[in-house]
Every structure is written in structure tokens, then in C-alpha cells.
Amino acid sequence: MRQTGLENACILRNRNMLRYTTAGESHGRGLVALVDGFPAGVPIDSERIDAELRRRQGGYGRGGRQAIEADHAEVLTGIRHGVSIGSPIALLIPNRDYKIEQMEDLDRPRPGHGDLSGSKKYLGSIRDILERASARETAARVAAGALARQIFEPLGMTALGYVVELGPIAIQPKPGTLDEHRALRDASEIYSLDPSKDDQVKRLIDTCREDGDTLGGVIEVRVEGVPFGLGTHAQWDQKLDGRLAQAVMAVQAIKGVEIGLGFESARLRGSQVHDPIHFDPTRQDSPTLGFTRPTNHAGGLEAGMSNSQPIVLRAAKKPIATLARPLESVNLKTKQPETASYERSDVCAVPAASVVLENVVAFEMARAVTEKFGNDSLGEIQARWKLFCETASRH
Ligand code: EPS
């Protein structure tokens, strides 16, 4: 089919962008992330990727699998002498618990999993669906995000994810800098910003485990050091709020996403919701260009563009669907009522999900940075970032 110049331009633009896909099953040989459109000249700290993978494996409430695995990303391509060379980067996280060929099928679909819909859609086994639907795949997303954030961290942009609610327990963040919050988060087994609440939350998780049940929670991700103008108001699928929401909603077990005040803003008046604009000439050298906002109810995003305030996003994770005390289901062979199948799982993976969300948000932010400032080389990104801030400051 003949393509018009416009169509060609769109295709070329999409082909060039920073993006990633993953492959791999939970008990297959390993998980793969293929990262395309990655700029050259980025020094890559692969230990940084492994550190995020280790964090993802941790957090109180995990099951037996994490005692088997010691996740590590092998960088197969795209990096030479520790620096990216502008070609696709393939990451492999081998599975120690590789046993997919020996694993039996399940015949009683677990409510909340893709077991029933997937086996009908693909006319196949529940095993084939659950192996790919499993949250084990998030290891590959974490690796891709931990790689991509190395594009923007040299520019002073940082992302942090932490747990703000676990089941019925709210753990509200106290005011503090991102670095102070990271130290608190790293001291908490729940990955919250208030380690003094850990014991209460751990007791709740223990009780839930004894009951054969599972727990969900709410995670917040904050990105600081963001310049003006990532994303755009001009086209629906380029809006940064929409793209962040998609990346977050597409993480296993996420059922809700909100930005800034989110759902709460619907209950208030405009004067209570919108963030007044002030100007402080002493802060013109920061990414805010001197524009300060006494509140950040917008969560750093207005009209699909970053407004130089911290990006703040929250997501609701449902409790894991594999229950040791299973719900009612149907045997797919006999069509008779039976309880759902049970397989080893976690009681609570909310802390782990905070690592996943931090890194999938980081990937989207890296993509937005490279769309605005280019994705040929880090040197060009840095130069264009500086030039943009100078130009926009004079504007
Ligand atoms: C996970 C590994 C899995 C589960 C969990 C996440 O290991 P296994 O199934 O071998 O016990 O612990 O998977 C799910 C929660 C799910 O819904 O499938 C991991 O590495 O994150």
C-alpha cells in the first residue's frame, strides 16, 4: 500500500522512539526486556539495575519464590565499555525456578486471574496463560525502567515510589525531600515512608497469611526535577498524564490510577483545587524557571504537559488473586462447582509493586525526555535541555 508523506513521518517518529517490550514466562528460562531507541553516550550502571531487581524481590509478605530467585539482569547488547552505543539494548533475567515443561495444568480457574478469560480466548490451557500473566514479568519492566532512568538522572531528575496504604492501614508521607524520603523508604520493610508503622502492618500481613487470604494497597510515585513541557496538550495519545496512567494501569493487579488530588478534586471547588502561580526571581535557575506554586494538587501535570512541579501519581493494587483458601470456581473439564486451584503465591506484594511502579513511571519519563530533547545521544539531550531552559526563561 502506498503511504503518504504524513503517514511515513508518523511511522518514522514511532520507530525512533524510546520504547520496550518484554518476553518470558514465570517458570520459563528467563525474562527478557528489549529496549529500543535508547540514546548513545549514557554511562550504564548495571548494579543499579540489579539493586532495583533485588528491591522488587523484597518487602514483607512475599512467598516462597523469592527465596529461590536472585534476580540479575545480563546486559546482552547495546553497551560497550559501560556506555550505551545507540543500538537496541537486550536484558535477560534468567529464572532459577525454570520448570515450565514439567508443570501441570490447572483445571479450576482462579477468580481475579486471567485463567478463565485467557484459556477461552486462546483455546488453550490455564498454565499457558498464567505463566505469562504472572507478576514475575514485572522483573523485566523494572530492569527496563532502571536502565532508562539512567538517561535522566544525570540531568537532576529523580523518581521515588513508596507504599501509602496497605489494606486498611494508611501510612501518610510526612513532608521531606526526596532523598530523606528515600532513606525512610529504604529503612522500611513495607517500603513506606514511616518505618515505625512496619510492625503494625507486618502483624496484619501475618494474620492475613494465617487466614489464607491476601492484601492490596496504594502506592505513590513522585518524580522531581522535571522541566516544563514534557508531553503535550496537542494530541490525546501524546499527553503525559495519559501515558503515565496507561503504563501504571498496565501493571499486574493495578485497578486505579490518580494524579495529584485525583478523585478528591471532583469533590472540591475550583478555587480549592487549582494551584496558584507565583514567581520567585531567585529560583530562575531551577527547572521551575522561578515559577512557584504554593500547592501541587495538579500533581505536576496540566493539560497533558509537565508544569515543572513534582509529578505525583497514586495507584491502587488489588489483593493477589491466588488464595490459599480459594473462592468458588468451576472445574473446566466437568463444569461442576469446585473451589479454585491454588499455587504458591504471595500474601502481599504491595511493597514490590512500589518498585515496579517507580520504574515503569521512570521509563515513561525517560521516553518523554527523549521525545522533547532527542534520543541520539546523552550529550545532545543535555545541551538541548539547557538551551530549552535558557530560551524558555527569556520567553
Ligand atoms: C512473582 C513470582 C511468582 C509469584 C508472583 C510474583 O512466583 P511463583 O508463581 O513461582 O510462586 O510469587 O506471581 C503472582 C503474584 C501472580 O499473580 O502470578 C514475582 O517474581 O514477582
Side-chain angles (χ1 to χ4, degrees):
M1 199 176 69
R2 230 181 126 255
Q3 271 152 355
T4 65
L6 185 63
E7 279 165 349
N8 270 331
C10 292
I11 291 167
L12 280 177
R13 183 156 184 248
N14 286 341
R15 277 209 187 126
N16 259 338
M17 74 180 179
L18 177 66
R19 59 190 172 154
Y20 76 102
T21 49
T22 73
E25 285 79 35
S26 183
H27 304 94
R29 292 182 60 174
L31 299 153
V32 175
L34 180 63
V35 184
D36 214 351
F38 197 93
V42 182
I44 300 300
D45 178 357
S46 52
E47 172 46 34
R48 180 101 174 66
I49 303 174
D50 286 349
E52 290 301 288
L53 290 175
R54 274 196 299 278
R55 281 206 315 118
R56 193 204 72 92
Q57 285 198 268
Y60 199 78
R62 294 290 253 165
R65 178 70 180 272
Q66 304 313 325
I68 303 172
E69 303 295 341
D71 288 343
H72 155 71
E74 287 175 30
V75 182
L76 300 183
T77 66
I79 292 172
R80 186 163 167 262
H81 302 317
V83 180
S84 61
I85 59 171
S87 50
I89 299 178
L91 303 169
L92 169 68
I93 305 157
N95 280 330
R96 287 192 176 174
D97 205 16
Y98 167 38
K99 58 182 183 190
I100 193 168
E101 303 298 346
Q102 291 82 48
M103 293 188 91
E104 295 193 340
D105 197 14
L106 274 53
D107 44 22
R108 292 158 292 137
R110 298 161 300 168
H113 272 291
D115 299 356
L116 178 60
S117 317
S119 68
K120 291 296 174 198
K121 175 176 168 68
Y122 293 97
L123 307 179
S125 69
I126 291 178
R127 170 66 55 200
D128 290 349
I129 301 306
L130 82 86
E131 283 291 330
R132 178 67 185 154
S134 164
R136 174 99 191 118
E137 183 263 349
T138 59
R141 298 197 214 188
V142 167
L147 174 78
R149 64 198 298 170
Q150 299 188 36
I151 300 170
F152 63 66
E153 283 173 344
L155 299 151
M157 218 167 100
T158 335
L160 189 78
Y162 42 88
V163 175
V164 291
E165 287 177 46
L166 205 142
I169 303 177
I171 320 165
Q172 282 314 321
K174 297 187 184 87
T177 65
L178 207 86
D179 285 341
E180 287 163 356
H181 280 173
R182 182 178 291 107
L184 285 171
R185 196 264 328 259
D186 291 347
S188 162
E189 285 182 74
I190 309 301
Y191 300 175
S192 84
L193 300 185
D194 187 357
S196 73
K197 283 238 166 102
D198 278 13
D199 285 344
Q200 187 192 352
V201 175
K202 283 162 69 177
R203 276 195 300 276
L204 174 73
I205 295 173
D206 291 342
T207 311
C208 201
R209 188 192 304 275
E210 284 156 25
D211 294 344
D213 221 327
T214 58
L215 280 164
V218 178
I219 291 143
E220 186 166 285
V221 181
R222 204 158 96 228
V223 190
E224 291 193 358
V226 184
F228 275 102
L230 302 185
T232 172
H233 67 297
Q235 194 57 270
W236 69 271
D237 61 348
Q238 304 294 310
K239 287 180 177 247
L240 186 54
D241 44 8
R243 279 159 59 158
L244 288 169
Q246 204 233 321
V248 168
M249 188 61 113
V251 170
Q252 286 83 340
I254 298 300
K255 287 304 226 183
V257 185
E258 58 178 13
I259 291 173
L261 265 191
F263 275 70
E264 183 58 21
S265 63
R267 300 177 196 113
L268 300 170
R269 291 184 172 204
S271 57
Q272 299 168 298
V273 167
H274 301 296
D275 309 307
I277 303 174
H278 300 159
F279 187 69
D280 176 355
T282 64
R283 294 169 73 177
Q284 276 185 82
D285 284 342
S286 79
T288 66
L289 311 178
F291 291 93
T292 61
R293 316 291 288 263
T295 52
N296 183 23
H297 295 157
L301 289 154
E302 290 169 309
M305 289 174 279
S306 58
N307 66 4
S308 83
Q309 299 301 307
I311 289 184
V312 185
L313 176 151
R314 269 179 305 281
K317 181 186 184 298
K318 71 180 181 180
I320 282 173
T322 305
L323 303 182
R325 204 168 283 169
L327 294 176
E328 291 167 10
S329 183
V330 171
N331 187 311
L332 291 187
K333 291 197 187 98
T334 64
K335 301 286 190 300
Q336 293 303 306
E338 280 181 50
T339 53
S341 300
Y342 175 72
E343 282 215 341
R344 175 187 64 194
S345 188
D346 307 321
V347 176
C348 174
V350 180
S354 73
V355 183
V356 179
L357 296 195
E358 176 180 315
N359 284 287
V360 300
V361 164
F363 196 95
E364 288 313 306
M365 294 308 295
R367 193 211 304 261
V369 164
T370 54
E371 276 175 0
K372 179 146 179 59
F373 302 112
N375 64 344
D376 284 341
S377 71
L378 181 61
E380 186 181 354
I381 294 170
Q382 278 167 327
R384 285 172 60 178
W385 176 301
K386 192 162 168 278
L387 179 67
F388 167 70
C389 288
E390 286 164 3
T391 312
S393 194
R394 282 197 305 272
H395 170 78

PDB file of all heavy atoms in Angstrom, residues 25-51:
ATOM      1  N   GLU A  25       8.193 -16.219  30.485  1.00  0.00           N
ATOM      2  CA  GLU A  25       7.159 -16.796  31.334  1.00  0.00           C
ATOM      3  C   GLU A  25       7.699 -16.927  32.764  1.00  0.00           C
ATOM      4  O   GLU A  25       8.907 -16.955  32.970  1.00  0.00           O
ATOM      5  CB  GLU A  25       6.747 -18.181  30.809  1.00  0.00           C
ATOM      6  CG  GLU A  25       5.875 -18.130  29.554  1.00  0.00           C
ATOM      7  CD  GLU A  25       6.677 -17.869  28.278  1.00  0.00           C
ATOM      8  OE1 GLU A  25       7.829 -18.364  28.208  1.00  0.00           O
ATOM      9  OE2 GLU A  25       6.188 -17.162  27.387  1.00  0.00           O
ATOM     10  N   SER A  26       6.777 -17.063  33.716  1.00  0.00           N
ATOM     11  CA  SER A  26       7.173 -17.085  35.122  1.00  0.00           C
ATOM     12  C   SER A  26       8.152 -18.222  35.422  1.00  0.00           C
ATOM     13  O   SER A  26       9.109 -18.038  36.170  1.00  0.00           O
ATOM     14  CB  SER A  26       5.933 -17.217  36.015  1.00  0.00           C
ATOM     15  OG  SER A  26       6.303 -17.174  37.366  1.00  0.00           O
ATOM     16  N   HIS A  27       7.893 -19.410  34.835  1.00  0.00           N
ATOM     17  CA  HIS A  27       8.778 -20.546  35.093  1.00  0.00           C
ATOM     18  C   HIS A  27       9.487 -21.002  33.820  1.00  0.00           C
ATOM     19  O   HIS A  27       9.855 -22.166  33.677  1.00  0.00           O
ATOM     20  CB  HIS A  27       8.000 -21.700  35.745  1.00  0.00           C
ATOM     21  CG  HIS A  27       7.293 -21.293  36.995  1.00  0.00           C
ATOM     22  ND1 HIS A  27       5.974 -20.882  36.987  1.00  0.00           N
ATOM     23  CD2 HIS A  27       7.730 -21.172  38.280  1.00  0.00           C
ATOM     24  CE1 HIS A  27       5.620 -20.546  38.224  1.00  0.00           C
ATOM     25  NE2 HIS A  27       6.657 -20.708  39.024  1.00  0.00           N
ATOM     26  N   GLY A  28       9.622 -20.078  32.862  1.00  0.00           N
ATOM     27  CA  GLY A  28      10.402 -20.364  31.654  1.00  0.00           C
ATOM     28  C   GLY A  28      11.885 -20.128  31.916  1.00  0.00           C
ATOM     29  O   GLY A  28      12.310 -19.972  33.069  1.00  0.00           O
ATOM     30  N   ARG A  29      12.663 -20.050  30.845  1.00  0.00           N
ATOM     31  CA  ARG A  29      14.111 -19.929  31.034  1.00  0.00           C
ATOM     32  C   ARG A  29      14.517 -18.592  31.602  1.00  0.00           C
ATOM     33  O   ARG A  29      15.547 -18.467  32.252  1.00  0.00           O
ATOM     34  CB  ARG A  29      14.828 -20.175  29.709  1.00  0.00           C
ATOM     35  CG  ARG A  29      14.689 -21.624  29.293  1.00  0.00           C
ATOM     36  CD  ARG A  29      15.427 -21.916  28.032  1.00  0.00           C
ATOM     37  NE  ARG A  29      16.841 -21.641  28.161  1.00  0.00           N
ATOM     38  CZ  ARG A  29      17.719 -21.926  27.220  1.00  0.00           C
ATOM     39  NH1 ARG A  29      17.321 -22.482  26.090  1.00  0.00           N
ATOM     40  NH2 ARG A  29      18.993 -21.643  27.388  1.00  0.00           N
ATOM     41  N   GLY A  30      13.709 -17.571  31.298  1.00  0.00           N
ATOM     42  CA  GLY A  30      14.053 -16.256  31.836  1.00  0.00           C
ATOM     43  C   GLY A  30      13.145 -15.191  31.283  1.00  0.00           C
ATOM     44  O   GLY A  30      12.245 -15.473  30.487  1.00  0.00           O
ATOM     45  N   LEU A  31      13.389 -13.968  31.715  1.00  0.00           N
ATOM     46  CA  LEU A  31      12.602 -12.820  31.255  1.00  0.00           C
ATOM     47  C   LEU A  31      13.523 -11.916  30.448  1.00  0.00           C
ATOM     48  O   LEU A  31      14.699 -11.749  30.789  1.00  0.00           O
ATOM     49  CB  LEU A  31      12.055 -12.062  32.456  1.00  0.00           C
ATOM     50  CG  LEU A  31      11.137 -12.930  33.309  1.00  0.00           C
ATOM     51  CD1 LEU A  31      11.130 -12.469  34.747  1.00  0.00           C
ATOM     52  CD2 LEU A  31       9.744 -12.953  32.723  1.00  0.00           C
ATOM     53  N   VAL A  32      12.957 -11.347  29.403  1.00  0.00           N
ATOM     54  CA  VAL A  32      13.742 -10.515  28.503  1.00  0.00           C
ATOM     55  C   VAL A  32      13.083  -9.145  28.406  1.00  0.00           C
ATOM     56  O   VAL A  32      11.861  -9.048  28.328  1.00  0.00           O
ATOM     57  CB  VAL A  32      13.787 -11.155  27.094  1.00  0.00           C
ATOM     58  CG1 VAL A  32      14.500 -10.249  26.105  1.00  0.00           C
ATOM     59  CG2 VAL A  32      14.467 -12.523  27.151  1.00  0.00           C
ATOM     60  N   ALA A  33      13.888  -8.089  28.424  1.00  0.00           N
ATOM     61  CA  ALA A  33      13.392  -6.756  28.071  1.00  0.00           C
ATOM     62  C   ALA A  33      14.207  -6.289  26.872  1.00  0.00           C
ATOM     63  O   ALA A  33      15.447  -6.355  26.894  1.00  0.00           O
ATOM     64  CB  ALA A  33      13.554  -5.787  29.238  1.00  0.00           C
ATOM     65  N   LEU A  34      13.525  -5.847  25.831  1.00  0.00           N
ATOM     66  CA  LEU A  34      14.212  -5.308  24.660  1.00  0.00           C
ATOM     67  C   LEU A  34      13.909  -3.818  24.607  1.00  0.00           C
ATOM     68  O   LEU A  34      12.752  -3.414  24.431  1.00  0.00           O
ATOM     69  CB  LEU A  34      13.739  -6.003  23.378  1.00  0.00           C
ATOM     70  CG  LEU A  34      14.409  -5.500  22.104  1.00  0.00           C
ATOM     71  CD1 LEU A  34      15.917  -5.758  22.120  1.00  0.00           C
ATOM     72  CD2 LEU A  34      13.795  -6.150  20.875  1.00  0.00           C
ATOM     73  N   VAL A  35      14.937  -3.014  24.798  1.00  0.00           N
ATOM     74  CA  VAL A  35      14.772  -1.558  24.873  1.00  0.00           C
ATOM     75  C   VAL A  35      15.315  -0.948  23.585  1.00  0.00           C
ATOM     76  O   VAL A  35      16.487  -1.109  23.257  1.00  0.00           O
ATOM     77  CB  VAL A  35      15.523  -0.990  26.102  1.00  0.00           C
ATOM     78  CG1 VAL A  35      15.264   0.507  26.230  1.00  0.00           C
ATOM     79  CG2 VAL A  35      15.103  -1.716  27.376  1.00  0.00           C
ATOM     80  N   ASP A  36      14.443  -0.261  22.887  1.00  0.00           N
ATOM     81  CA  ASP A  36      14.785   0.286  21.573  1.00  0.00           C
ATOM     82  C   ASP A  36      14.800   1.804  21.651  1.00  0.00           C
ATOM     83  O   ASP A  36      14.133   2.381  22.513  1.00  0.00           O
ATOM     84  CB  ASP A  36      13.674  -0.156  20.597  1.00  0.00           C
ATOM     85  CG  ASP A  36      14.223  -0.416  19.225  1.00  0.00           C
ATOM     86  OD1 ASP A  36      15.400  -0.098  18.991  1.00  0.00           O
ATOM     87  OD2 ASP A  36      13.463  -0.937  18.400  1.00  0.00           O
ATOM     88  N   GLY A  37      15.536   2.444  20.768  1.00  0.00           N
ATOM     89  CA  GLY A  37      15.544   3.914  20.736  1.00  0.00           C
ATOM     90  C   GLY A  37      16.321   4.520  21.897  1.00  0.00           C
ATOM     91  O   GLY A  37      16.086   5.666  22.282  1.00  0.00           O
ATOM     92  N   PHE A  38      17.252   3.754  22.458  1.00  0.00           N
ATOM     93  CA  PHE A  38      18.000   4.214  23.638  1.00  0.00           C
ATOM     94  C   PHE A  38      19.191   5.059  23.170  1.00  0.00           C
ATOM     95  O   PHE A  38      19.974   4.618  22.335  1.00  0.00           O
ATOM     96  CB  PHE A  38      18.488   3.003  24.441  1.00  0.00           C
ATOM     97  CG  PHE A  38      18.894   3.319  25.847  1.00  0.00           C
ATOM     98  CD1 PHE A  38      17.989   3.212  26.884  1.00  0.00           C
ATOM     99  CD2 PHE A  38      20.183   3.757  26.130  1.00  0.00           C
ATOM    100  CE1 PHE A  38      18.362   3.511  28.194  1.00  0.00           C
ATOM    101  CE2 PHE A  38      20.562   4.067  27.432  1.00  0.00           C
ATOM    102  CZ  PHE A  38      19.649   3.933  28.467  1.00  0.00           C
ATOM    103  N   PRO A  39      19.337   6.275  23.694  1.00  0.00           N
ATOM    104  CA  PRO A  39      20.404   7.151  23.189  1.00  0.00           C
ATOM    105  C   PRO A  39      21.804   6.616  23.470  1.00  0.00           C
ATOM    106  O   PRO A  39      22.003   5.847  24.420  1.00  0.00           O
ATOM    107  CB  PRO A  39      20.169   8.465  23.946  1.00  0.00           C
ATOM    108  CG  PRO A  39      19.256   8.155  25.064  1.00  0.00           C
ATOM    109  CD  PRO A  39      18.513   6.907  24.725  1.00  0.00           C
ATOM    110  N   ALA A  40      22.754   7.052  22.669  1.00  0.00           N
ATOM    111  CA  ALA A  40      24.169   6.705  22.888  1.00  0.00           C
ATOM    112  C   ALA A  40      24.747   7.604  23.979  1.00  0.00           C
ATOM    113  O   ALA A  40      24.173   8.644  24.313  1.00  0.00           O
ATOM    114  CB  ALA A  40      24.941   6.901  21.582  1.00  0.00           C
ATOM    115  N   GLY A  41      25.867   7.168  24.524  1.00  0.00           N
ATOM    116  CA  GLY A  41      26.624   8.025  25.441  1.00  0.00           C
ATOM    117  C   GLY A  41      26.124   8.042  26.867  1.00  0.00           C
ATOM    118  O   GLY A  41      26.582   8.873  27.664  1.00  0.00           O
ATOM    119  N   VAL A  42      25.204   7.134  27.216  1.00  0.00           N
ATOM    120  CA  VAL A  42      24.715   7.096  28.601  1.00  0.00           C
ATOM    121  C   VAL A  42      25.568   6.083  29.373  1.00  0.00           C
ATOM    122  O   VAL A  42      25.570   4.896  29.038  1.00  0.00           O
ATOM    123  CB  VAL A  42      23.224   6.683  28.675  1.00  0.00           C
ATOM    124  CG1 VAL A  42      22.723   6.711  30.122  1.00  0.00           C
ATOM    125  CG2 VAL A  42      22.361   7.556  27.778  1.00  0.00           C
ATOM    126  N   PRO A  43      26.303   6.536  30.401  1.00  0.00           N
ATOM    127  CA  PRO A  43      27.036   5.568  31.218  1.00  0.00           C
ATOM    128  C   PRO A  43      26.026   4.666  31.935  1.00  0.00           C
ATOM    129  O   PRO A  43      25.108   5.171  32.575  1.00  0.00           O
ATOM    130  CB  PRO A  43      27.798   6.443  32.226  1.00  0.00           C
ATOM    131  CG  PRO A  43      27.690   7.843  31.718  1.00  0.00           C
ATOM    132  CD  PRO A  43      26.452   7.914  30.886  1.00  0.00           C
ATOM    133  N   ILE A  44      26.185   3.362  31.791  1.00  0.00           N
ATOM    134  CA  ILE A  44      25.200   2.437  32.366  1.00  0.00           C
ATOM    135  C   ILE A  44      25.799   1.739  33.580  1.00  0.00           C
ATOM    136  O   ILE A  44      26.834   1.075  33.493  1.00  0.00           O
ATOM    137  CB  ILE A  44      24.747   1.391  31.312  1.00  0.00           C
ATOM    138  CG1 ILE A  44      24.113   2.086  30.108  1.00  0.00           C
ATOM    139  CG2 ILE A  44      23.784   0.388  31.953  1.00  0.00           C
ATOM    140  CD1 ILE A  44      22.878   2.928  30.401  1.00  0.00           C
ATOM    141  N   ASP A  45      25.106   1.898  34.707  1.00  0.00           N
ATOM    142  CA  ASP A  45      25.495   1.222  35.938  1.00  0.00           C
ATOM    143  C   ASP A  45      24.589  -0.007  36.063  1.00  0.00           C
ATOM    144  O   ASP A  45      23.421   0.118  36.451  1.00  0.00           O
ATOM    145  CB  ASP A  45      25.288   2.207  37.103  1.00  0.00           C
ATOM    146  CG  ASP A  45      25.621   1.590  38.453  1.00  0.00           C
ATOM    147  OD1 ASP A  45      25.960   0.384  38.490  1.00  0.00           O
ATOM    148  OD2 ASP A  45      25.512   2.311  39.469  1.00  0.00           O
ATOM    149  N   SER A  46      25.120  -1.177  35.714  1.00  0.00           N
ATOM    150  CA  SER A  46      24.239  -2.351  35.718  1.00  0.00           C
ATOM    151  C   SER A  46      23.931  -2.798  37.149  1.00  0.00           C
ATOM    152  O   SER A  46      22.904  -3.428  37.405  1.00  0.00           O
ATOM    153  CB  SER A  46      24.821  -3.495  34.882  1.00  0.00           C
ATOM    154  OG  SER A  46      26.118  -3.737  35.283  1.00  0.00           O
ATOM    155  N   GLU A  47      24.779  -2.428  38.094  1.00  0.00           N
ATOM    156  CA  GLU A  47      24.487  -2.741  39.505  1.00  0.00           C
ATOM    157  C   GLU A  47      23.222  -2.002  39.955  1.00  0.00           C
ATOM    158  O   GLU A  47      22.460  -2.489  40.796  1.00  0.00           O
ATOM    159  CB  GLU A  47      25.702  -2.366  40.369  1.00  0.00           C
ATOM    160  CG  GLU A  47      25.506  -2.445  41.876  1.00  0.00           C
ATOM    161  CD  GLU A  47      24.809  -3.714  42.394  1.00  0.00           C
ATOM    162  OE1 GLU A  47      25.004  -4.812  41.798  1.00  0.00           O
ATOM    163  OE2 GLU A  47      24.053  -3.607  43.368  1.00  0.00           O
ATOM    164  N   ARG A  48      22.992  -0.829  39.370  1.00  0.00           N
ATOM    165  CA  ARG A  48      21.788  -0.042  39.674  1.00  0.00           C
ATOM    166  C   ARG A  48      20.534  -0.824  39.250  1.00  0.00           C
ATOM    167  O   ARG A  48      19.518  -0.792  39.938  1.00  0.00           O
ATOM    168  CB  ARG A  48      21.911   1.269  38.884  1.00  0.00           C
ATOM    169  CG  ARG A  48      20.838   2.251  38.994  1.00  0.00           C
ATOM    170  CD  ARG A  48      21.246   3.375  39.954  1.00  0.00           C
ATOM    171  NE  ARG A  48      20.235   4.421  39.949  1.00  0.00           N
ATOM    172  CZ  ARG A  48      19.010   4.249  40.401  1.00  0.00           C
ATOM    173  NH1 ARG A  48      18.651   3.111  40.915  1.00  0.00           N
ATOM    174  NH2 ARG A  48      18.140   5.244  40.358  1.00  0.00           N
ATOM    175  N   ILE A  49      20.646  -1.517  38.112  1.00  0.00           N
ATOM    176  CA  ILE A  49      19.512  -2.332  37.643  1.00  0.00           C
ATOM    177  C   ILE A  49      19.295  -3.492  38.617  1.00  0.00           C
ATOM    178  O   ILE A  49      18.169  -3.762  39.053  1.00  0.00           O
ATOM    179  CB  ILE A  49      19.762  -2.857  36.208  1.00  0.00           C
ATOM    180  CG1 ILE A  49      20.011  -1.682  35.245  1.00  0.00           C
ATOM    181  CG2 ILE A  49      18.608  -3.734  35.734  1.00  0.00           C
ATOM    182  CD1 ILE A  49      20.406  -2.092  33.839  1.00  0.00           C
ATOM    183  N   ASP A  50      20.380  -4.148  38.985  1.00  0.00           N
ATOM    184  CA  ASP A  50      20.262  -5.292  39.902  1.00  0.00           C
ATOM    185  C   ASP A  50      19.729  -4.865  41.273  1.00  0.00           C
ATOM    186  O   ASP A  50      18.995  -5.617  41.929  1.00  0.00           O
ATOM    187  CB  ASP A  50      21.610  -5.999  40.054  1.00  0.00           C
ATOM    188  CG  ASP A  50      21.943  -6.814  38.806  1.00  0.00           C
ATOM    189  OD1 ASP A  50      21.056  -6.991  37.947  1.00  0.00           O
ATOM    190  OD2 ASP A  50      23.098  -7.267  38.687  1.00  0.00           O
ATOM    191  N   ALA A  51      20.120  -3.663  41.697  1.00  0.00           N
ATOM    192  CA  ALA A  51      19.635  -3.185  43.012  1.00  0.00           C
ATOM    193  C   ALA A  51      18.111  -3.038  42.981  1.00  0.00           C
ATOM    194  O   ALA A  51      17.425  -3.394  43.946  1.00  0.00           O
ATOM    195  CB  ALA A  51      20.297  -1.854  43.363  1.00  0.00           C
TER     196      ALA A  51
END
